[in-house]
Amino acid sequence: MPTWLIALDRHFPIRYLTLVASAVLVLLGAFAWVAFRQGGWMLLVGLVGVATGAHDLRQTKRAVLRNYPVIGHLRFLLEWVRPEIRQYFIESDREAVPFSRQQRSLVYQRSKGDSDKRPFGTQLDVHETGYEWLNHSLQPTQLASHDFRVTIGAAEGSRCTQPYSASVFNISAMSFGALSANAVRALNAGASKGGFAHDTGEGSISVHHRAMGGDLIWEIGSGYFGCRDAQGRFDDEKFVANATDAQVKMVELKLSQGAKPGHGGVLPGPKVTAEIAAARGVPPGVDCVSPAAHSAFSTPLEMLEFIDRMRRLSGGKPAGFKLCVGHPWEWFALAKAMRESGLLPDFIVVDGAEGGTGAAPLEFTDHVGAPLQEGLRLVHNTLVGMNLRHRIRLGAAGKVVSAFDIARQMAIGADWCNAARGFMFALGCIQAQHCHTGACPTGVTTQDPLRQQALVVGDKAERVYRFHEQTLEALRELVQAAGLEHPGQITTAHIVRRTSDHSVRLLANLLPTVQPGELLAAERGDADWPHMVFRTYWHMAAAHSFQPVA
């Protein structure tokens, strides 16, 4: 829908305006025909409008038409004619942001089971600086399955007693409250059918997560929703009640998110419904605050002890944390605390600054936090350089929608990828960017009961399942083309980037690379520091504090 129409609808409901107008035309046309034998055109137009509107309200495939009967067809008419208009008069399919029309179309096609093939060659400029490709093999492999998985919590010396076999592609953190009840149900039902995981977001586990039975990663933020006492402090007993549920497969401590790292949040009281309050363990109708910092710990060592406590209280399930990389010395302090205490997380999820399901001030969206490539590579290199990488799994989140996106992040250092907006597109999101207003036209990010009814759970769950299935099938074909057996074998030596009109380089030669144990050797003085970031910040980090030391 046009954004101006959605904005107008927030203040003056027009969702059914065309349907009402059609009914009025029927009445006027009928009167004119009976009284004056005129107005047949009004009667015909009105009947067509009423019949169209009735059909729109009953169909289950298109949420826009369920929310905007009759007038919603304007969007699909524009979708039909826009490729030609855009091609000749406006812009290409690659220019729209934050996700291009080409990226959205890929998700829509895969989620609907339509063909995702493209004719007539690439639309990308292969001579453009920044263009990347995957080197293929002259001896491709043949793989029996696209169900690529990674085991989390089974490393040597792990304190985890319930390892989890995760898909390499999962649903990233989005809370109930940010998403509608129907959106949560559809995501979890799709995850259940496809055998992949659904991150709850920091809004905790709602009845809608539980209803569909899909695997959950329970994210716990600074508000400790679902495991807090009346003062907002972490509560062991409430944590145990949720964490030991069989549906919860991993527990994840959220330090920061890509959309607004270092920024807390407030869900205004009027938006805290009884269902949201029940999931989060807060009073309904009262402002729900997520502080910028945690109260359960204040040092790196205390944080690792807290994660170990989460693991123990959950019954031995994999426990880890999520962060968007900021001050390098803070991450190095965590790494040093791991070495000093011997307490390792089972996993770390690196969220890139390009992540964006959380509404945030423009300055945070555009200029705070490390992008995924830099953040992920720093975390990966640090763990390699400390001989810890084989004991900790890495997840990556940040604008992942295609199989090449997954392959690229795994080449940089990830063991698996999460996606949020990609799965929102699978639910029917049209990138109207009214997520934070409550006026989502497709029922994905609204608590308006009428609007979210447009999202039919059964239909959208199938789309979530198919998007995951077809994306991994495409990943299988990439892995085969590269002559490999698993996407985890893809490295920066497989990805090539054009750096100028006449120069290309392997990603391995463009991104910092650290050898096993190299940081330990540099710290002892037996080797040079492998990169400026380590040489500059490593000595500023200490296991006992997040503050830089002199």
Side-chain angles (χ1 to χ4, degrees), residues 103-123:
Q103 289 173 305
R104 300 196 311 272
S105 294
L106 178 67
V107 179
Y108 296 150
Q109 287 161 346
R110 286 180 173 165
S111 65
K112 294 177 183 178
D114 294 342
S115 173
D116 60 359
K117 305 301 184 286
R118 297 288 191 275
F120 226 67
T122 180
Q123 293 185 18

Side-chain angles (χ1 to χ4, degrees), residues 298-370:
S298 58
T299 71
L301 287 170
E302 289 177 356
M303 192 193 100
L304 293 176
E305 289 169 358
F306 183 72
I307 290 175
D308 190 53
R309 179 177 163 195
M310 290 168 53
R311 183 193 292 117
R312 176 169 41 82
L313 292 173
S314 70
K317 294 178 181 179
F321 63 90
K322 179 178 87 172
L323 85 164
C324 177
V325 173
H327 293 309
W329 66 78
E330 293 183 343
W331 158 242
F332 293 158
L334 279 171
K336 289 184 176 183
M338 293 177 201
R339 179 183 61 185
E340 184 174 314
S341 67
L343 298 174
L344 304 184
D346 295 299
F347 66 91
I348 300 171
V349 175
V350 181
D351 205 11
E354 58 269 53
T357 56
L362 182 65
E363 293 83 358
F364 278 79
T365 297
D366 287 350
H367 302 293
V368 180

Side-chain angles (χ1 to χ4, degrees), residues 167-436:
S167 169
V168 298
F169 188 41
N170 301 288
I171 301 171
S172 196
M174 295 180 283
S175 300
F176 169 57
L179 296 186
S180 68
N182 283 6
V184 170
R185 285 173 175 259
L187 286 172
N188 197 255
S192 179
K193 182 174 181 179
F196 54 101
H198 178 192
D199 194 311
T200 65
E202 66 176 304
S204 193
I205 307 169
S206 69
V207 294
H208 307 294
H209 291 96
R210 299 186 191 280
M212 313 313 289
D215 290 354
L216 295 176
I217 300 170
W218 183 19
E219 183 182 87
I220 296 154
S222 56
Y224 306 115
F225 300 130
C227 55
R228 57 185 270 144
D229 62 17
Q231 288 73 45
R233 298 170 303 195
F234 182 79
D235 185 291
D236 284 22
E237 290 185 6
K238 291 180 180 177
F239 176 82
V240 169
N242 274 326
T244 54
D245 188 305
Q247 196 176 348
V248 175
K249 303 302 181 183
M250 303 200 300
V251 288
E252 174 185 279
L253 180 70
K254 189 195 95 169
L255 301 181
S256 57
Q257 67 183 93
K260 45 184 175 180
H263 189 284
V266 178
L267 186 64
K271 293 186 177 181
V272 184
T273 64
E275 281 187 329
I276 293 174
R280 300 191 180 200
V282 299
V286 178
D287 287 356
C288 183
V289 180
S290 296
H294 280 266
S295 61
F297 54 86
S298 58
T299 71
L301 287 170
E302 289 177 356
M303 192 193 100
L304 293 176
E305 289 169 358
F306 183 72
I307 290 175
D308 190 53
R309 179 177 163 195
M310 290 168 53
R311 183 193 292 117
R312 176 169 41 82
L313 292 173
S314 70
K317 294 178 181 179
F321 63 90
K322 179 178 87 172
L323 85 164
C324 177
V325 173
H327 293 309
W329 66 78
E330 293 183 343
W331 158 242
F332 293 158
L334 279 171
K336 289 184 176 183
M338 293 177 201
R339 179 183 61 185
E340 184 174 314
S341 67
L343 298 174
L344 304 184
D346 295 299
F347 66 91
I348 300 171
V349 175
V350 181
D351 205 11
E354 58 269 53
T357 56
L362 182 65
E363 293 83 358
F364 278 79
T365 297
D366 287 350
H367 302 293
V368 180
L372 181 55
Q373 173 176 286
E374 286 70 23
L376 176 61
R377 193 63 176 174
L378 179 64
V379 172
H380 169 77
N381 276 339
T382 304
L383 295 178
V384 169
M386 296 184 71
N387 287 328
L388 293 175
R389 180 63 182 88
H390 64 289
R391 299 181 62 187
I392 299 172
R393 294 294 192 179
L394 291 185
K399 216 168 182 182
V400 174
V401 295
S402 75
F404 182 76
D405 295 334
I406 298 173
R408 190 182 187 282
Q409 303 314 329
M410 295 185 81
I412 293 172
D415 291 302
W416 83 89
C417 291
N418 295 334
R421 287 170 292 181
F423 282 101
M424 287 174 64
F425 290 140
L427 288 174
C429 168
I430 59 173
Q431 197 171 262
Q433 299 184 61
H434 281 263
C435 313
H436 60 299

